Amino acid sequence: MKTICLYFEIHQIIHLKRYRFFDIGTDHYYYDDYENERSISDIAARSYMPALETLHTMIKENNGYFKVAFSLSGVGMEQLEMHAPQVLAKLQALNETGCVEFLAEPYSHGLSSLANEESFAADVKKQAAKVEEYFGKKPTVLRNSSLIYSDDIGAQAAAMGFKGMLTEGAKHVLGWKSPHYVYNCNIAPNLKLLLRDVELSDDISLRFSNTEWEGYPLFADNYINRIATLPEEERVINIFMELSALGIAQPLSSSILDFIKALPACAKAKGINFATPTEICSMTKSVGSLDVPDTLSWVDEERDVSCWLGNAMQREAFNKLYSVADRVRIANDPRICQDWDYLQASNNFRFMTTKPSNVGLDRGIYSGPFDAFTNYMNILGDFINRVNSLYPEEIDNEELNGLLTTIKNQGDEIEMKDKEISRLKTKLEKMQATETKQKAKAAPKTKAAPKVKKADQPVAAEPPKK
């Protein structure tokens, strides 16, 4: 039986303001608050809320048959908290249905997995904690920024305890293989891989409203028929996209939500199920390892990381940012850490790209890649000065490594103690429950006093006559 795994990403760009060289050292606030509020409010109204309302209706109407997964970047959640809390409230309502799974991803939606293993682990752990805080369950499947993956990144994910990971079903990686199977990491066999079906996903997210596309108009029954006619042994169909595809990339006027809403009925008629990533990882065995020595992603034709690191400007900005990664972790200053999250976001490097792309790129306030590079480097210069004021460059590597080792050991110790406290609490609760039951059994049963029938009640003697 075939199974569809439907997944949506929610991430919001943090817009940087125009920051000039002469602002370095005098202005430590880097963000365009007006544009951030305007853009998230617009996306929430035109995409997130109507799309989530539709998905909620689909879940309620299908009685546990229809299931869906989401991942939210931490910086995106922060923007929703400030400017569109109704989106988070609706996601919590979806979570209560039991038909939704929330995945882990880097808090910053950044590229830390390509630069610094410790920063990547901290980034993911921070987002997973925020997801657990909102939705009550720790994520067990990881989705890296833009589905970035390699064998080494998979090994890092497995070391963090994840059961599975999403990535792109890129042709140059799969070769003759199909994306409709579950694979495993080449280095860490216990980590299962779910591969995005590029064509089926992009038909919805990129081409649905394109009147010049040969597949236009796309109807739900035809779409499901394509899935149903796949070879019988190809049973896992992963359809991954950004949630903003429903309403922004594909406007509501295109009837995109009517198309989505019709999918469950068409799928049920063909005997096709829906499942979350964790359910698929638990129920489906891997057919073999996937060899991915070079990093891939879901962006552009090349499906690699060249859109972020393809030119000298991008690489210089990237290397400069992560040159202070260890010092940022040591500093653990709230304001520094927040700026670190926002400056890591992958869109900052995407704006510097000189690559042609089939997908339109809105550079916002920037006139071109060099303008984006200059503005970012001005901000980065001020940020690095602030980091170095806490931990100067004069601190040698040996001392820095000693501090990092101490912090890591303290973190491991705290984690062990938290686990021990949790174990003892559980044990205490069981002991208290057992004690209560034993007391209830040992307590003597009090017999009720016998009721006296009215007929047996003594009759009061008449007073003597005078």
Side-chain angles (χ1 to χ4, degrees):
M1 182 178 291
K2 289 179 169 47
T3 300
I4 294 173
C5 179
L6 184 61
Y7 153 82
F8 295 100
E9 175 210 9
I10 298 177
H11 168 61
Q12 177 60 24
I13 289 174
I14 302 296
H15 296 273
L16 302 177
K17 69 180 182 182
R18 179 64 67 181
Y19 193 93
R20 306 192 183 281
F21 177 79
F22 298 104
D23 295 325
I24 298 174
T26 61
D27 183 3
H28 304 317
Y29 192 77
Y30 313 133
Y31 315 108
D32 186 338
D33 291 335
Y34 172 79
E35 183 58 24
N36 284 325
E37 181 176 2
R38 187 207 63 78
S39 59
I40 190 67
S41 300
D42 180 61
I43 291 173
R46 292 169 53 204
S47 172
Y48 291 170
M49 286 307 294
L52 293 175
E53 289 285 0
T54 298
L55 294 170
H56 198 187
T57 300
M58 292 163 67
I59 290 173
K60 290 190 290 185
E61 289 179 349
N62 287 279
N63 299 317
Y65 166 74
F66 176 72
K67 297 178 181 179
V68 64
F70 298 93
S71 74
L72 297 86
S73 68
V75 297
M77 293 179 77
E78 288 184 15
Q79 291 297 297
L80 292 173
E81 287 171 338
M82 288 189 285
H83 306 303
Q86 69 274 18
V87 175
L88 290 171
K90 174 52 72 173
L91 286 167
Q92 288 175 320
L94 281 161
N95 182 54
E96 291 171 2
T97 66
C99 296
V100 174
E101 180 179 359
F102 292 91
L103 311 184
E105 72 162 67
Y107 191 96
S108 65
H109 198 270
L111 307 174
S112 55
S113 60
L114 305 176
N116 189 295
E117 187 172 335
E118 292 293 332
S119 292
F120 178 52
D123 214 5
V124 171
K125 187 176 180 180
K126 184 177 179 180
Q127 186 268 359
K130 198 170 184 70
V131 166
E132 187 174 10
E133 176 188 341
Y134 266 95
F135 307 111
K137 191 173 181 181
K138 187 176 180 180
T140 58
V141 172
L142 174 65
R143 180 262 186 200
N144 198 7
S145 309
S146 301
L147 298 189
I148 291 173
Y149 177 81
S150 68
D151 291 335
D152 290 337
I153 294 171
Q156 292 176 49
M160 286 187 267
F162 290 104
K163 296 179 180 178
M165 191 167 177
L166 311 187
T167 191
E168 181 77 340
K171 291 181 181 178
H172 71 275
V173 170
L174 283 170
W176 57 268
K177 297 177 182 177
S178 166
H180 304 140
Y181 296 93
V182 173
Y183 296 91
N184 62 265
C185 174
N186 192 31
I187 297 176
N190 290 334
L191 183 79
K192 293 184 177 178
L193 302 176
L194 304 185
L195 308 185
R196 173 178 178 262
D197 185 303
V198 177
E199 184 177 352
L200 288 171
S201 299
D202 288 352
D203 281 353
I204 299 175
S205 63
L206 297 182
R207 295 183 280 268
F208 182 82
S209 60
N210 182 2
T211 56
E212 297 181 359
W213 172 44
E214 61 181 11
Y216 180 87
L218 181 63
F219 295 105
D221 54 353
N222 293 336
Y223 186 81
I224 293 297
N225 284 341
R226 286 164 56 193
I227 295 174
T229 54
L230 290 170
E232 184 180 353
E233 61 274 12
E234 297 186 15
R235 298 184 178 180
V236 179
I237 294 84
N238 301 305
I239 301 170
F240 305 159
M241 68 192 78
E242 297 176 359
L243 185 62
S244 60
L246 311 182
I248 303 296
Q250 308 304 322
L252 298 181
S253 59
S254 69
S255 300
I256 183 67
L257 294 184
D258 293 331
F259 169 83
I260 293 292
K261 194 172 182 179
L263 290 177
C266 296
K268 187 179 288 187
K270 293 292 183 178
I272 299 172
N273 286 330
F274 287 84
T276 63
T278 292
E279 288 175 337
I280 291 176
C281 289
S282 300
M283 297 184 303
T284 311
K285 292 182 179 180
S286 167
V287 296
S289 63
L290 194 68
D291 188 15
V292 190
D294 299 317
T295 311
L296 63 87
S297 77
W298 71 355
V299 179
D300 290 347
E301 290 294 326
E302 294 84 357
R303 310 294 183 195
D304 58 13
V305 297
S306 58
C307 66
W308 303 291
L309 301 175
N311 63 44
M313 292 185 297
Q314 292 170 310
R315 291 190 292 273
E316 181 180 348
F318 178 81
N319 293 332
K320 192 75 172 175
L321 174 67
Y322 284 100
S323 69
V324 295
D326 293 338
R327 295 171 191 272
V328 170
R329 288 207 317 279
I330 293 171
N332 199 27
D333 178 85
R335 181 67 187 277
I336 291 286
C337 289
Q338 184 181 57
D339 291 338
W340 173 248
D341 290 334
Y342 294 171
L343 293 177
Q344 282 189 91
S346 61
N347 57 277
N348 293 313
F349 303 96
R350 175 76 160 155
F351 292 151
M352 303 175 200
T353 187
T354 50
K355 283 180 58 182
S357 175
N358 292 332
V359 181
L361 175 62
D362 181 4
R363 298 184 199 264
I365 63 172
Y366 305 124
S367 59
F370 184 73
D371 187 27
F373 170 74
T374 303
N375 200 68
Y376 184 80
M377 291 303 284
N378 287 340
I379 291 173
L380 191 56
D382 183 78
F383 176 74
I384 290 176
N385 287 342
R386 290 164 56 207
V387 173
N388 288 337
S389 70
L390 296 174
Y391 284 91
E393 290 180 299
E394 289 74 25
I395 296 178
D396 59 29
N397 289 335
E398 186 176 345
E399 186 177 353
L400 189 64
N401 289 333
L403 288 168
L404 286 170
T405 302
T406 301
I407 290 172
K408 185 179 185 304
N409 291 341
Q410 288 174 344
D412 292 343
E413 187 177 348
I414 290 171
E415 188 175 351
M416 287 177 62
K417 286 182 177 179
D418 286 342
K419 288 180 180 179
E420 181 65 12
I421 289 169
S422 178
R423 186 186 68 80
L424 291 173
K425 279 183 179 178
T426 304
K427 185 177 179 180
L428 181 61
E429 287 171 1
K430 288 181 179 179
M431 290 173 64
Q432 288 175 339
T434 303
E435 186 179 354
T436 302
K437 288 180 181 179
Q438 289 175 345
K439 284 182 178 179
K441 288 181 180 179
K445 294 181 180 179
T446 55
K447 293 184 178 180
K451 293 182 179 179
V452 181
K453 295 181 181 179
K454 288 184 179 180
D456 297 336
Q457 290 178 352
V459 181
E462 293 182 6
K465 294 181 180 178
K466 292 184 179 178

